[in-house]
Amino acid sequence: MEASVSVLVAAIGIPMLTLSWLLNLMSSSHSFEVFSTTPLRLCISLFVPIKIAHSAFRSKKLDFWASLLACWFGVAISLCNFCVMGALISFFLSSSKLTKYKGNRKKLQQADYEDSTCRGCMQVLCNGIVAYTFTLSLGIEIRRGEFVPDFESQYGATYRLLAALAAIGCCCGDTWASEVGTAIGPDTPRLVTTFAQVPAGTNGAISMIGVLSSAAGGMTSGIFAAFPLLFVGPEGHFNSTLRYLCLYCAASGAFGSMVDSFLGATLQYSGLDESNKVINEPNSSTRQKHISGFNVLSNNQVNFISSLATAIIMPALAANLSSF
């Protein structure tokens, strides 16, 4: 049921959003500088996402529908802003590598751990739709490529750019926290709501290694986001923008990971099966010991909510801090 809903949303909602953006570009007038897609930008925006999605499908990191959706996201985001695309590439590449990191230990801890890292359409949708929507709205708002974030001169465009980067920083930070924390963190991390010791792999469990990893994951997406400014951004602003995006995305990664952990601890089920491995869904056919949470949200739904919350809160916080 979840997979069919994801395909329906991807097949209907996403093309409608993109079509409205394209119609806006062709028909409306705007006071900002008009964004014209150069042949070089068009080639890069088509080649890079298609190449990455094709490679991911061939290496079984994405299934067929997920690779099509990822390609669609990548092309649309690249046409709007290379900085957001850079952050998105960092998230995909790092998460694919970290999922396999110390898989033998994760297999001993989690009953549902799989050696295969093939991601489905729903996972791509929930992790990418927030950044995709804000980036498309950025294209409608300013209709030009890359720029230096500045709330004083262009509040709306800066808010949308930072919202998209915050969403990716959240997803990247949460993935780093989960994968690295489970791989090399303590066997009994603390539950974020009660600070009680729980088995590694429990939804909502945190550790110092996990928190630092979430900030490092967010910072990595910030570095990749700033990198395109070396080639297509305004001159003389790269170093300051790099520092700003690294700090901002690191904070987004840590904040988003904490939101994800709180939702996981309260609205996701965690338990132990008969072999003392962590399970994420209750099963009446086997004996289980409840650890935490209610069986309300799936992992994909938690990822979507946490990325949306981070995308709304972090730019607003950055705007308030910039006024001092």
Side-chain angles (χ1 to χ4, degrees), residues 19-270:
L19 180 61
S20 65
W21 169 66
L22 292 175
L23 290 174
N24 181 279
L25 290 183
M26 290 185 293
S27 61
S28 66
S29 60
H30 206 283
S31 59
F32 283 103
E33 174 188 347
V34 176
F35 172 44
S36 58
T37 304
T38 64
L40 178 59
R41 187 184 191 95
L42 182 60
C43 290
I44 294 175
S45 299
L46 291 174
F47 175 78
V48 174
I50 291 174
K51 176 63 177 177
I52 293 176
H54 180 256
S55 299
F57 175 67
R58 293 194 61 182
S59 59
K60 296 183 179 180
K61 294 177 181 177
L62 296 176
D63 64 22
F64 176 74
W65 289 107
S67 62
L68 285 181
L69 182 58
C71 183
W72 189 298
F73 280 170
V75 171
I77 288 175
S78 296
L79 287 172
C80 292
N81 193 278
F82 281 149
C83 294
V84 182
M85 186 58 191
L88 192 62
I89 290 175
S90 75
F91 167 55
F92 174 73
L93 295 180
S94 63
S95 62
S96 299
K97 293 292 184 181
L98 288 175
T99 302
K100 292 184 178 181
Y101 181 55
K102 292 199 173 184
N104 290 333
R105 185 187 183 192
K106 296 174 184 176
K107 191 183 299 184
L108 294 174
Q109 298 169 339
Q110 304 172 34
D112 59 350
Y113 178 80
E114 298 179 359
D115 292 323
S116 173
T117 58
C118 186
R119 304 177 188 277
C121 187
M122 177 60 84
Q123 194 168 6
V124 173
L125 180 68
C126 290
N127 282 282
I129 188 63
V130 176
Y132 171 85
T133 303
F134 276 106
T135 308
L136 238 62
S137 67
L138 174 64
I140 295 173
E141 168 71 20
I142 196 168
R143 296 198 293 165
R144 68 175 181 177
E146 293 63 43
F147 61 96
V148 175
D150 185 4
F151 282 104
E152 291 186 3
S153 61
Q154 40 190 359
Y155 184 93
T158 299
Y159 188 100
R160 288 165 172 81
L161 174 63
L162 294 185
L165 294 178
I168 298 174
C170 166
C171 295
C172 196
D174 177 62
T175 300
W176 280 50
S178 300
E179 301 299 341
V180 177
T182 305
I184 64 175
D187 292 330
T188 54
R190 302 278 181 174
L191 196 66
V192 69
T193 51
T194 63
F195 292 100
Q197 289 186 327
V198 291
T202 301
N203 292 315
I206 60 173
S207 65
M208 183 58 66
I209 292 178
V211 173
L212 294 176
S213 298
S214 66
M219 181 178 293
T220 302
S221 69
I223 294 173
F224 274 70
F227 182 73
L229 295 176
L230 276 173
F231 308 98
V232 294
E235 296 182 1
H237 296 277
F238 176 75
N239 290 335
S240 59
T241 305
L242 174 62
R243 291 191 296 269
Y244 180 84
L245 291 182
C246 284
L247 179 61
Y248 174 79
C249 290
S252 297
F255 176 80
S257 178
M258 294 302 293
V259 174
D260 188 284
S261 296
F262 180 79
L263 292 173
T266 55
L267 299 178
Q268 278 187 281
Y269 175 88
S270 292

